[in-house]
């Protein structure tokens, strides 16, 4: 499998892809290792994740450079991701033992009866992952999965393979047995092969199209399945905001990671009273972004990781123009080597346009004028997705009233494009099923077992 640098189009390296036989063998190793890993005291499993944290700190420069080289993420943002990973690890390290502890839920001395719940690992789980935040979306799954006593077959995206290999090396160097965490290398075909193994759960992060296939396959097998899929994340800007501050925050929310976040702001609705001022401030902000070599510390916008995505963006731009949207900046593929697209802003958009209903997953955004809160709510709900939604306003009550009516896993007031290890990360509709993070995101890798214990009479 060839790995290309999306900034230059140059070949980075080639790695062998796992075929059907290799995947089967890896599965068998993970199965054989599972009971011993589950029997390892939780303290030791936590120690291993602590070791992984230390490895991440020690190797930060190399890891950031690799990530930038294969994904195209601007180097500062690669380091931010690694620092963010540490916070997630801290959360799991602090919470795992408590969350996984067996609970006594009832006791009656006269009856000599006790009822308890234990949290059993699922067994062997497959983790098929995305490339856009490989450390985040990967660790949300494999870290709590390992802590809970599962063995993990981890297939990084074919666009983040080298990062996936680093992750494997670091976990093994930290005391996770080689067969408790196994990296499976390859693209969609390898993912499909992995899916055919008799695992006990599948945890997927990626697009709706692939997620729907994975959900169907897992459903037939009656195994646990979680799908963390795309978004078309809306934000509504009310007329009472500081327009410049809101524009700066939302431009960052839309264009950070070159717009390739599941929770990137993908559409903005602005109250008609501040619409023009907001658009002006927003476009000025976007025009100030520095585009260029992702290894340069000053770069904010890098290349688009997947070359095929350029066509999606091109099509959305052409469709919006044809239907009468006003192009305010950008709109073109940047000619030359690598996968580059100009940061693009449209106003005068509406929901007949693909730009406002289909995931863009790139540096493109539409801004639509609205007359009032009910119109904003109706538009925010008018896509099949439901990952995150935000409201910018000085009025918390109003923002909460609006957000309560929007179908989304996460609600943001005066912030966006934000994930917290303490809060559940989930979507509704085409954004997926299940959740990661928070204490629920540890329990999700377990099967609660009910214990009815009656003492001898
Ligand atoms: P993708 O669906 O193309 O690929 C995801 C993974 O699935 C890859 O590892 C790929 O090799 C594998 N795959 C592809 N076809 C498969 C098949 N038939 N069977 C099994 N595996 C298969 O998605 P992507 O381009 O890697 O990621 C981008 C998408 O992920 C976006 O839609 C984004 O919004 C979403 N995403 C969601 C979250 C979230 O937390 N909700 C986080 C990050 C990304």
């Amino acid at each position: 499998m060839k790995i290309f640098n999306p900034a230059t189009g140059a070949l980075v390296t080639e790695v062998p892809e796992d075929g059907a036989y290799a995947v089967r063998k890896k599965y068998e190793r993970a199965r054989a290792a599972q009971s011993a890993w589950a029997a390892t005291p939780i303290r030791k499993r936590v120690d291993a994740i602590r070791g992984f944290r230390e490895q991440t700190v020690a190797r930060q420069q190399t890891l950031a450079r690799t990530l930038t080289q294969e994904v195209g993420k601007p180097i500062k943002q690669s380091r931010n991701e690694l620092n963010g990973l540490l916070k997630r690890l801290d959360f799991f390290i602090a919470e795992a033992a408590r969350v996984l502890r067996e609970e006594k839920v009832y006791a009656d001395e006269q009856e000599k009866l006790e009822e308890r719940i234990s949290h059993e690992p699922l067994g062997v789980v497959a983790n098929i992952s995305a490339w856009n935040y490989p450390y985040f979306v990967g660790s949300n799954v494999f870290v709590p999965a390992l802590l809970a006593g599962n063995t993990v077959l981890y297939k990084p995206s074919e666009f983040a393979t080298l990062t996936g290999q680093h992750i494997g090396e670091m976990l093994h160097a930290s005391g996770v047995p080689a067969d408790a965490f196994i990296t499976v290398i390859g693209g969609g075909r390898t993912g499909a092969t992995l899916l055919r193994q008799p695992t006990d759960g599948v945890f997927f992060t990626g697009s709706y199209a692939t997620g729907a296939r994975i959900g169907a396959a897992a459903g037939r097998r009656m195994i646990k399945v979680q799908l963390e899929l795309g978004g078309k994340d809306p934000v509504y800007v009310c007329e009472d905001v500081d327009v410049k501050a809101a524009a700066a925050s939302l431009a960052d929310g839309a264009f950070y990671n070159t717009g390739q976040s599941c929770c990137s702001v993908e559409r903005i609705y602005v109250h008609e009273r501040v619409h023009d001022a907001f658009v002006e401030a927003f476009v000025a902000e976007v025009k100030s972004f520095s585009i260029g070599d992702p290894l340069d510390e000053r770069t904010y916008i890098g290349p688009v990781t997947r070359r095929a995505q350029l066509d999606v963006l091109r099509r959305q731009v052409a469709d919006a123009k044809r239907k009468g949207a006003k192009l305010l900046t950008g709109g073109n593929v940047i000619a030359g080597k690598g996968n580059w697209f100009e940061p693009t802003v449209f106003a005068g958009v509406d929901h007949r346009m693909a730009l406002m209903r289909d995931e863009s997953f790139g540096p493109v955004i539409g801004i639509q004028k609205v007359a009032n809160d009910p119109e904003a709510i109706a538009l925010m709900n008018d896509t099949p997705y439901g990952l995150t939604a935000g409201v910018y306003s000085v009025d918390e009550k109003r923002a909460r009233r609006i957000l309560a009516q929007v179908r989304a896993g996460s609600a943001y007031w005066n912030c966006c494009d934000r994930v917290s290890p303490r809060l559940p990360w989930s979507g509704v509709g085409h954004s997926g099923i299940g959740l990661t993070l928070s204490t629920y995101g540890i329990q999700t890798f377990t099967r609660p077992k009910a214990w009815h214990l009656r003492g001898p009479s």
Side-chain angles (χ1 to χ4, degrees):
M1 190 171 73
K2 290 189 163 75
I3 293 169
F4 294 100
N5 182 331
T8 60
L11 182 69
V12 176
T13 186
E14 277 187 65
V15 293
E17 193 169 359
D18 284 325
Y21 180 77
V23 174
R24 184 67 189 186
K25 286 287 152 203
K26 287 186 172 184
Y27 163 74
E28 286 169 1
R29 280 169 49 206
R31 175 62 71 194
Q34 199 268 321
S35 52
W37 177 243
T40 305
I42 178 70
R43 181 176 39 80
K44 287 210 168 149
R45 282 184 259 142
V46 172
D47 277 348
I49 297 304
R50 211 174 269 124
F52 177 62
R53 188 194 190 286
E54 283 160 18
Q55 293 275 330
T56 309
V57 173
R59 301 192 198 189
Q60 199 201 48
Q61 296 306 335
T62 313
L63 302 179
R65 279 186 80 85
T66 303
L67 182 56
T68 293
Q69 203 180 21
E70 67 178 338
V71 172
K73 192 184 292 267
I75 189 77
K76 253 195 189 163
Q77 299 176 19
S78 291
R79 280 202 305 273
N80 288 349
E81 183 174 346
L82 287 158
N83 287 327
L85 169 66
L86 302 182
K87 293 189 189 135
R88 293 184 189 203
L89 296 177
D90 288 341
F91 173 80
F92 289 129
I93 289 166
E95 294 291 340
R98 185 179 67 81
V99 173
L100 296 168
R101 197 171 295 140
E102 187 176 296
E103 302 158 62
K104 189 201 292 186
V105 292
Y106 180 76
D108 185 319
E109 273 181 27
Q110 269 182 345
E111 277 193 77
K112 295 189 181 165
L113 181 69
E114 214 172 89
E115 295 175 356
R116 303 179 77 93
I117 303 172
S118 66
H119 304 284
E120 309 292 322
L122 298 171
V124 180
V125 300
N127 176 196
I128 299 176
S129 204
W131 49 264
N132 61 328
Y133 280 97
Y135 287 104
F136 285 167
V137 298
S139 67
N140 289 358
V141 173
F142 63 71
V143 170
L146 286 168
L147 286 170
N150 301 282
T151 53
V152 179
L153 291 159
Y154 171 61
K155 196 196 86 56
S157 162
E158 57 273 40
F159 298 99
T161 299
L162 304 179
T163 294
Q165 289 178 330
H166 280 314
I167 288 171
E169 284 160 23
M170 292 193 294
L171 285 168
H172 297 152
S174 311
V176 174
D179 291 353
F181 180 89
I182 304 178
T183 310
V184 177
I185 299 300
R189 209 174 24 179
T190 306
T193 307
L194 176 55
L195 208 57
R196 285 196 294 275
Q197 308 309 310
T199 58
D200 303 296
V202 178
F203 294 79
F204 172 78
T205 310
S207 62
Y208 166 73
T210 314
R213 255 183 259 149
I214 288 184
R220 280 194 294 276
R221 297 242 314 275
M222 301 291 162
I223 55 170
K224 172 129 189 182
V225 62
Q226 280 202 178
L227 307 169
E228 304 222 345
L229 310 178
K232 190 68 192 169
D233 307 43
V235 170
Y236 171 37
V237 179
C238 298
E239 72 288 357
D240 57 5
V241 296
D242 173 337
V243 167
K244 275 207 172 139
S249 165
L250 289 172
D252 185 46
F255 289 92
Y256 190 84
N257 208 36
T258 315
Q260 303 171 112
S261 311
C262 51
C263 52
S264 284
V265 176
E266 286 246 342
R267 46 200 176 110
I268 303 177
Y269 304 98
V270 185
H271 195 281
E272 58 190 8
R273 262 191 256 155
V274 292
H275 174 269
D276 294 356
F278 175 86
V279 168
E280 193 185 325
F282 189 90
V283 171
E285 193 70 32
V286 173
K287 283 185 173 163
S288 76
F289 289 154
S290 47
I291 312 175
D293 178 2
L295 282 169
D296 187 327
E297 289 290 335
R298 290 161 301 186
T299 295
Y300 179 79
I301 301 268
V304 167
T305 305
R306 291 174 59 249
R307 192 161 182 78
Q309 199 65 17
L310 293 178
D311 286 333
V312 172
L313 300 175
R314 228 185 322 229
R315 275 201 303 275
Q316 288 195 351
V317 166
D319 171 70
K321 277 187 185 166
R322 199 172 49 245
K323 291 173 180 162
K326 196 168 157 199
L327 180 62
L328 300 173
T329 185
N332 297 300
V333 169
I334 302 172
K337 290 185 175 154
N339 319 328
W340 295 85
F341 204 91
E342 293 172 345
T344 299
V345 183
F346 277 101
V349 292
D350 62 47
H351 276 221
R352 291 172 303 138
M353 300 168 188
L355 172 68
M356 296 304 278
R357 300 197 77 249
D358 301 340
E359 190 176 40
S360 304
F361 220 60
V364 173
I365 185 102
I367 304 175
Q368 182 167 353
K369 191 189 284 188
V370 294
N372 51 43
D373 297 359
E375 186 186 359
I377 293 166
L379 288 168
M380 287 167 100
N381 282 327
D382 183 33
T383 78
Y385 292 106
L387 193 59
T388 81
V391 170
Y392 280 56
S393 167
V394 293
D395 183 345
E396 180 179 355
K397 270 202 189 128
R398 176 180 175 190
R400 291 181 64 133
R401 195 170 55 235
I402 295 166
L403 288 167
Q405 296 171 70
V406 177
R407 217 170 57 114
S410 294
Y412 300 128
W413 177 44
N414 293 331
C415 56
C416 59
D417 192 22
R418 178 177 193 278
V419 179
S420 162
R422 296 170 293 278
L423 294 173
W425 185 248
S426 69
V428 288
H430 285 196
S431 292
I433 51 177
L435 59 86
T436 51
L437 297 175
S438 79
T439 53
Y440 294 100
I442 300 173
Q443 276 178 356
T444 197
F445 297 97
T446 65
R447 192 169 39 79
K449 188 163 187 169
W451 295 86
H452 307 245
L453 304 170
R454 195 186 291 280
S457 42

